[in-house]
Amino acid sequence: MNIVVGKPLPHESAHLHVQGSAPYTDDIPERVGTLHAALGLSPVAHGRLLGVDVERVRAQPGVVDVFTGTDFPGRNDCGPLIQDDPILAIDTLRYRGQPVFAVVARTRAQARRAAALAREVIQAEPLTAILHQREAHAAGQHVIAPMQLCRGDADQALANAPQRLQLAFELGGQEQFYLEGQISYALPEEDGGLTLHCSTQHPSEMQHLVAHALHRPNHAVRVLCRRMGGGFGGKESQSALFACVAALGAVRNRAPVKLRLDRDDDFLITGRRHGFSFDIDAGFDEAGRIQGVRATLISNAGHSADLSGPVLTRALCHFDNAYWLPHVALSGFAARTNTQSNTAFRGFGGPQGALAVEMLMDAIARRLKLDPLAVRRANLYQEGQTPPQTTPYGQTIEDFCLPDLMARLEASSDYAARRAAVAAFNASSPVLKKGLALTPLKFGISFNVVHLNQAGALVHVYTDGSVLVNHGGTEMGQGLNTKVAQVVAQELGLPLAAVRCSATDTEKIANTSATAASTGADLNGKAAQAAARSLRDRLSAFAAQAYGLAPDGVRFEAGEVVLGSQRIAWEELVRQAYHARVQLWSEGFYATPGLSWDRAKLQGRPFYYFAHGAAVAEVLVDTLTGEHRVLRADALHDVGQSLNPAIDIGQVEGAFIQGMGWLTSEELVWHPADGSPKAGLLVTHAPSTYKIPTANDCPADFRVALFDRPNAKDSIHRSKAVGEPPLLLPFAVFLAIKDAVAAATGGEPTLMAPATPEAVLKALHT
Amino acid sequence: MPQDLSTQSIRPVRFWHRNAVVELDGAPNTRTVLEWLREDQQLCGTKEGCAEGDCGACTVVLGELDAQGRLQLKPVNSCIQFLPSLDGKALFTVEDLAGADGSLHPVQQALVDCHGSQCGFCTPGFAMSLWQLYEEMKGTAPSRQGIADGLAGNLCRCTGYRPILDAGEKALAQEGPLLDREPVETALRELALGQPIHTEAGFHAPKTLGELAQLRQDLPEARLLAGGSDVGLWVTKQFKTLPQIIYLGQVRELQTIERVGDELVIGAGASLEAAWAELATHWPQLKEMGLRFASPPIRSVGTLGGNIANGSPIGDGAPVLMALGATVELQRGEQLRRLPLQDFYLDYMKNALQAGEFLRALRVPLPLQGWRLSTHKISKRFDSDISAVCGAFALHIEDGQVREARLAWGGMAAIVKRAAQAEAALRGQPWNEATLIQAQAALAQDFKPLSDMRASAAYRLQVAQNLLRRCWLETRAEDPLPASALSVWEAR
């Protein structure tokens, strides 16, 4: 048997990546006459827009065109769910960095130079700006209605609990920092058509928003994306603005227009992971078992709704993380601030919600002087209860492998012995302290919005036997095309080299969902499998008839077709089928079964299944400076039966380091709204000031393994989604730092995230 | 253009690229190497990630002849290197790595085999950094740590780096093809024979100190350019135009590092990499700071002289050299003068250089008996981050008493400066905790630091005071703590 699925095969583009010959949007040869666009940005965080001296910009060298929000023939809006997101600001300036006008010039440098006049040509009357979510919440400013997720009687449970504690926590946001910045390249086509090459996770949405902005039917707009240089959620909704601007520029000037952002502008314009404020009140017993919890979660949505609603939903739905919360009352608010509009970022609110309850677990353990692992274990969901345990949103806990997984990790990481060693070290080390933590995760897989859980694929077999797959997912480095090609090759009994994935293209698969929510391989893999199966069935039927066999007498393996006692080459069967006028292409469709969701009550079965994982981290903290170093990290992660272990390990490790960056070194700082020239400016707007991890931050001792148990659900080859869940693994790093601080102070540290040296030193002294 | 220059021949920029000498007429002063590659040559393998030399996606390798005429390869951020600065050098990009038959270079193959790419956008930069290590470190059996340090200037957002480090280890342990250096060296030797370059656009690269001194006086408004790690950003981020540039990279005399009497004399054009390596041979405790000082691509073109002359209050060179009692040697025409480094800085980004004057050398007194140096860099990230606070302390302790103290600080004021009152609190006092507390208190009189994106004023002051404590814990007579008990980085 030719088994392709489950092999640690390299990324389909790896040999191109290493040679620099994998083209990204900016590498596509420019059509003659290509013009370049740049955006003029709001110089204030909040203000009334009085006017723009467009003529002055137009007079700059090389400038061909300047336009503003009123120039869109259709809708000047690029909000993905709610229409509160102007492409170019009209009337009100809502954050510093908001695009106000677009410049089209002969060269990119000329466009950028002209756009840089924004400060001088935008006339605005400043208004009071609010930058922090707590302040905005207090002022009653929200982008969506508040959300409540409740079960039982939390107040009564809190009142009756033998132990009680309160916790307030501030959690910073995170910049996606995809290495390839936002880019769109728009090419006018015949009869009002438009082709857009766009670095986007959501080509269909780009297509629809561009069509609306131009007041054209969707069929006139084609969006293509071969690959992105990283997305992480940042190119789910927020690539739309740039696509719309490039498109209008191309239409107005009847010329190709490229809009590639400078890194600083990318930081200043686009939003990121939501920062959150939490207030938690918990009641528990002497074993640390939570009896009731009441919590308020306030996210910083930024100036518009964007995806803040679904992000908040997922935060609320992950507040339980891995724990049974019998009585719970959660209130969620998405506060409107004068900052970039926050959006999707790997985990999509899940990490924020789950970190809150993990903070609580540690606080309870320290209150009761128990090992945090014991408290975690005491609170874990348990299968086999009557009635079965459910999440606060009403989904039954099934296939809950964390007790096994955590036990395996506890043993393999030598947790108990290291806990003792850490205590011994701390007793004799006056300045440096060590900390240790083991944290679990449970992450719901599926879009929280039921209808998004669908996908389509096309499989073409050409007469030479080669196979082309196209599906609605996008490749951003996660190896989706590799996995989908593996699925198709497996289905047709072919070596992987016989199968090629082509660029995502709205002319091939219509109405696709974003490649998001970790569902890329689950949805598109199943759709491609369905397409390949219909082809295979058709070819089987043909072969059975042609060779006088029963259809189950035909097998496809190792590039050959087994026909009873005979074998012929795959190519030969394809040739014969073509001549017999058998359809050699097929479409496939998949819709995740069994999902339901009541958006008003936040109840139902939003997730097809859960992915799990756990990590242990050991850190060393300097109590004089607040610096820390991760000494060792172990992770065990549940990917079901892996489609490709090399790619899955890559996702787990990458997410670990990315999540660790979020919680340690990646700090977003806005200049306070103090009336100064810098008021409201995001001052960490480039890699010089915003510090993502480097190779030296990867723990020297880093042990990552897959928990190889097939998915109980009928997912693609019983695998599990892997994109987002492991982002929760590095909670262990943050909580290990907190553990070390607690070792120094003896109390419950008020450590906020990210745990920069400054935050740690502050926690050591308060 | 001044009279004496117009008589000199204007000539094209010449450099080695893709197995041939390229001649470029009319190269604009500030067009970057990356723009030239991607837009003019359609060589799109090299990527732009940040246009400020901080992410490494644009990493290329430059070849230059050392003083012995041997080719030396260094990683460079092409996004902030100006095209004319390539004159006389060799340029290698990711398109140069694979064999003529299309076979992948060992570093490329290892990246594939170890799953070192995901989105692939940073990968060409990693491939080039690894290739430079492969070429220059092969046979020296670099450790995994050494490879990680070599990749400190390359950001990857997907992989978490483990597979890239694996690839580095695998490739560097292999026998494989090496660059045929002979034709490159021959070409560069020939290019070196040419006249110093003056382009039509106003890019001047003198070859001798004399020529430099003359040019500096003739063109007092011209921008001096060394590694370009700051000046490059004026162009890519602030759209400045630089009509006249005097490039220092071709002046050999400026790159020398030599011991003269009891001083180490570091030419202002010596690279950060070379200068710091030399300093660390005399003060081994500077090794950590050297690794954390910018990144390999910046250190290989950036100069210690530039770091000092730039005068940034958050530079790491100045506090260390100030604590070491360094002087700066300034030249104007044929006149030389010396200033203690602490007198060189007048105010925020203002120094004592006069019109037509330039920094010629840094003179650092060699270690004296009884003096101890300790240096401390505090930043959010170990690699390639700008200091929130940088403290460098030189203490002369004898018989348990502080005879003399130089406490120099970056990040604490508008300029790098010494803590006069804290030093006074130490001088002549017994080196005990009471004295330490006096000095810590005095530090609050010396400095009123700022709050910014790197740290708050309160943290800066507190950590500065704590660094003095760290220094005391390490140097106190009774029960001194080893460095391994005082720094999380020590056991790295």
Side-chain angles (χ1 to χ4, degrees), chain A residues 550-731:
Chain A
D552 60 3
V554 182
R555 289 202 323 276
F556 296 81
E557 59 184 48
E560 292 183 324
V561 186
V562 182
L563 302 159
S565 57
Q566 200 184 340
R567 282 176 169 265
I568 63 168
W570 156 263
E571 294 84 344
E572 176 56 23
L573 181 70
V574 168
R575 199 187 57 78
Q576 292 175 10
Y578 172 71
H579 284 284
R581 295 187 291 175
V582 174
Q583 182 186 337
L584 286 176
W585 54 269
S586 187
E587 89 296 341
F589 183 76
Y590 178 71
T592 314
L595 303 179
S596 65
W597 187 238
D598 182 333
R599 280 168 76 172
K601 294 186 184 140
L602 301 188
Q603 291 292 317
R605 183 188 170 82
F607 305 122
Y608 188 36
Y609 61 86
F610 295 101
H612 308 95
V616 183
E618 182 177 343
V619 304
L620 186 63
V621 169
D622 183 338
T623 58
L624 287 177
T625 62
E627 297 163 285
H628 81 273
R629 186 159 61 90
V630 181
L631 300 175
R632 173 175 164 185
D634 296 52
L636 183 57
H637 192 80
D638 159 34
V639 296
Q641 188 167 273
S642 177
L643 290 171
N644 182 323
I647 284 176
D648 286 344
I649 289 267
Q651 287 295 299
V652 174
E653 291 178 338
F656 187 99
I657 299 301
Q658 194 173 69
M660 184 183 82
W662 168 45
L663 296 172
T664 57
S665 64
E666 297 183 31
E667 185 176 29
L668 294 162
V669 181
W670 282 267
H671 191 95
D674 58 3
S676 73
K678 277 191 171 179
L681 178 68
L682 174 67
V683 286
T684 49
H685 54 64
S688 51
T689 45
Y690 184 77
K691 309 312 281 188
I692 73 168
T694 66
N696 264 320
D697 297 308
C698 177
D701 192 350
F702 192 26
R703 309 179 191 193
V704 175
L706 301 179
F707 186 72
D708 220 356
R709 189 158 88 179
N711 194 345
K713 291 287 177 198
D714 178 24
S715 59
I716 184 74
H717 291 282
R718 301 278 169 180
S719 65
K720 285 191 179 183
V722 68
E724 293 168 293
L727 196 113
L728 285 71
L729 293 171
F731 288 1

Side-chain angles (χ1 to χ4, degrees), chain A residues 17-18 24 27 113 175-176 262-264 622 624-625 627 629 653 666-667 692-694 696 758, chain B residues 38 47 49 108 117 119-120 145 149 157 161-162 237 239 380-381 383 456 459 466 470 488-489:
Chain A
H17 293 153
V18 300
Y24 301 80
D27 304 334
R113 269 171 200 274
E175 163 64 30
Q176 288 87 2
D262 179 70
R263 179 62 63 179
D264 295 45
D622 183 338
L624 287 177
T625 62
E627 297 163 285
R629 186 159 61 90
E653 291 178 338
E666 297 183 31
E667 185 176 29
I692 73 168
T694 66
N696 264 320
E758 176 161 359
Chain B
R38 292 185 56 85
K47 310 299 182 193
Q108 295 174 313
S117 73
C119 86
Q145 182 62 65
D149 290 335
R157 193 53 152 168
Y161 302 100
R162 191 274 308 160
K237 300 295 180 180
F239 312 112
K380 290 180 196 170
R381 188 174 74 191
D383 280 329
S456 69
Y459 176 74
N466 285 356
R470 182 197 268 178
V488 298
W489 312 119

Side-chain angles (χ1 to χ4, degrees), chain B residues 429-451:
Chain B
Q429 300 298 315
W431 190 216
N432 59 24
E433 190 161 16
T435 302
L436 166 75
I437 289 167
Q438 290 290 324
Q440 286 179 313
L443 211 52
Q445 306 303 311
D446 280 312
F447 295 115
K448 295 279 173 280
L450 286 176
S451 288

Side-chain angles (χ1 to χ4, degrees), chain A residues 71-126:
Chain A
D71 293 316
F72 283 92
R75 209 164 66 196
N76 174 36
D77 195 276
C78 59
L81 304 173
I82 298 172
Q83 286 170 40
D84 69 343
D85 229 327
I87 300 166
L88 297 172
I90 293 179
D91 303 333
T92 309
L93 302 175
R94 301 164 168 193
Y95 70 101
R96 187 162 178 151
Q98 182 175 18
V100 179
F101 62 90
V103 184
V104 180
R106 301 257 168 239
T107 70
R108 182 169 177 268
Q110 287 169 332
R112 287 182 66 215
R113 269 171 200 274
L117 289 175
R119 195 182 248 289
E120 294 165 42
V121 301
I122 294 172
Q123 295 104 46
E125 180 193 328

Side-chain angles (χ1 to χ4, degrees), chain A residues 199-420:
Chain A
S199 183
T200 179
Q201 295 171 239
H202 204 344
S204 280
E205 189 168 277
M206 298 308 102
Q207 177 199 17
H208 301 163
L209 288 169
V210 165
H212 287 310
L214 299 179
H215 197 61
R216 292 195 177 165
N218 288 347
H219 72 210
V221 180
R222 175 189 190 189
V223 176
L224 290 123
C225 178
R226 171 61 183 91
R227 63 172 61 77
M228 282 166 271
F232 313 112
K235 295 171 181 171
E236 181 174 347
S237 64
Q238 300 221 346
S239 37
L241 190 150
F242 315 105
C244 291
V245 167
L248 182 58
V251 167
R252 282 168 64 93
N253 296 286
R254 297 166 201 268
V257 170
K258 187 191 279 189
L259 173 50
R260 173 169 71 84
L261 293 197
D262 179 70
R263 179 62 63 179
D264 295 45
D265 288 350
D266 202 312
F267 265 83
L268 294 176
I269 296 170
T270 67
R272 40 195 71 83
R273 185 187 300 288
H274 294 66
F276 269 74
S277 299
F278 300 103
D279 292 301
I280 305 172
D281 190 351
F284 47 95
D285 65 15
E286 303 301 338
R289 276 189 297 260
I290 290 180
Q291 305 197 329
V293 60
R294 174 174 277 289
T296 302
L297 291 73
I298 308 164
S299 74
N300 183 347
H303 75 93
S304 70
D306 190 84
L307 299 169
S308 295
V311 165
L312 186 58
T313 304
R314 191 167 275 268
L316 293 168
C317 289
H318 282 74
F319 183 87
D320 64 328
N321 193 20
Y323 310 113
W324 166 241
L325 307 174
H327 299 276
V328 57
L330 306 177
S331 304
F333 301 92
R336 182 191 299 278
T337 60
N338 297 109
T339 65
Q340 295 79 6
S341 189
N342 288 320
T343 188
F345 188 159
R346 200 177 200 171
F348 203 74
Q352 292 96 317
L355 182 58
V357 81
E358 292 300 338
M359 299 281 291
L360 182 58
M361 290 295 144
D362 273 26
I364 291 171
R366 273 189 283 271
R367 166 73 66 82
L368 299 175
K369 304 206 184 316
L370 295 171
D371 189 305
L373 181 55
V375 173
R376 289 194 162 88
R377 198 165 268 137
N379 281 289
L380 275 187
Y381 280 116
Q382 290 176 28
E383 280 191 277
Q385 305 283 303
T386 323
Q389 287 185 342
T390 59
T391 64
Y393 47 90
Q395 178 155 353
T396 303
I397 295 297
E398 298 167 298
D399 192 31
F400 186 65
C401 64
L402 271 176
D404 286 356
L405 189 152
M406 286 167 73
R408 223 165 92 184
L409 180 67
E410 188 184 356
S412 68
S413 68
D414 210 8
Y415 177 86
R418 286 166 67 205
R419 169 63 69 198

Side-chain angles (χ1 to χ4, degrees), chain B residues 374-418:
Chain B
S374 73
T375 60
H376 313 268
K377 172 170 177 143
I378 303 295
S379 55
K380 290 180 196 170
R381 188 174 74 191
F382 181 85
D383 280 329
S384 189
D385 195 359
I386 291 166
S387 297
V389 173
C390 179
F393 319 138
L395 297 174
H396 183 205
I397 299 166
E398 220 173 74
D399 304 328
Q401 210 180 48
V402 183
R403 300 278 174 206
E404 188 51 76
R406 287 194 293 260
L407 311 177
W409 299 88
M412 295 292 284
I415 54 173
V416 170
K417 64 175 206 174
R418 284 170 60 178

